Amino acid sequence: MTDTSIRTYTNERETEDEETTAVSDERERCPECGGRLVSDDEHAETVCEDCGLVVEEDEIDRGPEWRAFDAAEKDEKSRVGAPTTNMMHDQGLSTNIGWQDKDAYGRALSSRQRQKMQRLRTWNERFRTRDSKERNLKQALGEIDRMASALGLPENVRETASVIYRRALEEDLLPGRSIEGVATASLYAAARQAGTPRSLDEISAVSRVEKMELTRTYRYIIRELGLEVKPADPEHYVPRFVSDLDLSDETERMARELLESARQEGVHSGKSPVGLAAAAVYAAALLTNEKVTQNEVSEVASISEVTIRNRYKELLEASDTAAPA
């Protein structure tokens, strides 16, 4: 390259740099008063620091609108798709073709396109469950979700039940047992671990297996998987019973006090926690002058009126004994 060419190239670069600097200065200066422009992130605006002129508005905030305080929370709030979940047999990693026969603009598809989409849905479903293990998981997790919805159990219980079932499947505990039985036992164990227990009668009412099979499978699952499940606390049933019977907070507080007195006197030993909770709610309602019958409590708790009467007397006796003289 000759000296003349070098000088010409240098002059062109200097001219371009000057123009870029001029444009940059122009963008950073107010067109009215020449003051400095600042970005107002809170209102998504660019304003003049001197005269307050709004130069740009409705700017796009390219930063996150959330904060993460640890790595796990950052992963949960990542924008790279839906979070993985154990409640789906493929952990939510596969794609799904929607059932609406409409295009991206909401227009209905032609008959030929609808046939094509139906074939794609069929093949997509076949690819999602390619072997017997995945078909087993899909059926079991569907059962867990159905029963949890019927029992009003939260999502964390469903997630835990799904993990328990996956462990049972991986450790080959299913031969000789039904998918529904192991799924029901997993949900029962998860509910007790989470402190939101449901009685065996409530679980078997929404399940497709008998109560005897449920109890047998439950004991087998917790023994083989080494699950630590504490005995159900009667107080965990009280809020649900009080809510279903539309009773007051005072009644709930009184029921908890009766159960605490019974625990101190050793009445809990060998008794059904559901029966104790139902009897405590019934006794507390009477003590707080709220109208509720034994029949109403028995229907909510799914136990007999005889059990309520027997536990009711024991609770009142324990309360009188525990009361200071």
Side-chain angles (χ1 to χ4, degrees):
M1 184 180 290
T2 62
D3 294 341
T4 305
S5 301
I6 294 174
R7 284 196 297 272
T8 303
Y9 176 74
T10 304
N11 292 335
E12 289 176 354
R13 289 295 303 272
E14 289 176 353
T15 304
E16 289 177 2
D17 292 341
E18 290 174 0
E19 291 176 353
T20 303
T21 304
V23 171
S24 178
D25 291 342
E26 185 179 346
R27 288 177 179 173
E28 294 177 359
R29 294 294 174 183
C30 175
E32 293 289 335
C33 66
R36 193 167 69 91
L37 299 180
V38 294
S39 295
D40 185 354
D41 295 332
E42 184 177 352
H43 300 93
E45 295 174 342
T46 298
V47 299
C48 176
E49 199 175 39
D50 297 333
C51 66
L53 175 69
V54 178
V55 179
E56 293 184 18
E57 60 181 350
D58 297 330
E59 296 176 349
I60 297 175
D61 183 5
R62 303 187 183 279
E65 68 272 13
W66 42 262
R67 293 184 297 173
F69 299 99
D70 53 39
E73 192 174 354
K74 185 177 181 180
D75 291 338
E76 288 177 3
K77 295 179 178 179
S78 175
R79 292 189 180 182
V80 294
T84 57
T85 173
N86 285 304
M87 293 187 291
M88 298 180 69
H89 71 280
D90 53 13
Q91 295 189 331
L93 296 175
S94 64
T95 57
N96 190 27
I97 300 175
W99 57 269
Q100 299 96 338
D101 289 324
K102 295 181 180 180
D103 62 12
Y105 300 100
R107 295 190 294 260
L109 300 178
S110 65
S111 60
R112 186 175 180 181
Q113 288 175 319
R114 286 199 299 269
Q115 292 175 0
K116 181 180 179 181
M117 293 305 298
Q118 187 56 43
R119 287 196 301 273
L120 287 173
R121 290 190 192 99
T122 301
W123 280 108
N124 183 59
E125 192 65 24
R126 289 173 181 172
F127 281 124
R128 288 181 67 186
T129 53
R130 285 173 291 182
D131 54 31
S132 59
K133 183 178 179 181
E134 289 189 356
R135 287 193 294 271
N136 183 313
L137 263 179
K138 185 177 180 181
Q139 180 182 346
L141 299 181
E143 278 291 294
I144 289 174
D145 191 57
R146 179 189 65 80
M147 291 185 291
S149 297
L151 293 167
L153 292 171
E155 188 173 338
N156 66 309
V157 175
R158 307 181 193 198
E159 191 86 24
T160 304
S162 302
V163 172
I164 293 173
Y165 187 89
R166 285 176 185 273
R167 286 188 56 195
L169 185 62
E170 290 171 0
E171 299 190 20
D172 203 25
L173 302 182
L174 266 72
R177 291 165 184 81
S178 66
I179 294 175
E180 290 84 359
V182 179
T184 307
S186 301
L187 184 62
Y188 180 60
R192 290 187 60 173
Q193 282 186 330
T196 55
R198 297 294 185 268
S199 66
L200 284 170
D201 291 326
E202 290 176 297
I203 294 282
S204 59
V206 299
S207 176
R208 294 190 174 98
V209 297
E210 298 294 330
K211 183 177 178 181
M212 186 64 69
E213 181 184 349
L214 168 58
T215 54
R216 190 164 51 241
T217 306
Y218 168 71
R219 293 193 187 99
Y220 174 74
I221 290 296
I222 61 172
R223 183 178 68 250
E224 293 298 321
L225 296 181
L227 301 177
E228 295 183 2
V229 181
K230 297 180 181 179
D233 190 339
E235 289 191 20
H236 290 160
Y237 294 92
V238 170
R240 182 159 56 88
F241 293 167
V242 169
S243 176
D244 291 343
L245 293 166
D246 197 22
L247 299 175
S248 65
D249 293 341
E250 184 182 0
T251 299
E252 181 178 345
R253 185 167 57 254
M254 179 64 70
R256 291 181 183 276
E257 291 176 0
L258 289 172
L259 289 172
E260 182 60 33
S261 300
R263 180 181 286 107
Q264 294 174 2
E265 296 299 317
V267 176
H268 283 203
S269 179
K271 305 293 193 309
S272 166
V274 181
L276 285 169
V281 170
Y282 174 68
L286 295 182
L287 293 173
T288 55
N289 296 319
E290 294 203 55
K291 294 181 180 180
V292 65
T293 64
Q294 292 181 4
N295 181 50
E296 292 173 336
V297 177
S298 69
E299 288 182 357
V300 167
S302 300
I303 59 170
S304 67
E305 296 181 34
V306 176
T307 303
I308 293 176
R309 282 194 291 271
N310 292 339
R311 299 291 92 81
Y312 159 74
K313 295 175 184 177
E314 293 172 359
L315 287 174
L316 291 181
E317 289 175 0
S319 177
D320 292 340
T321 305

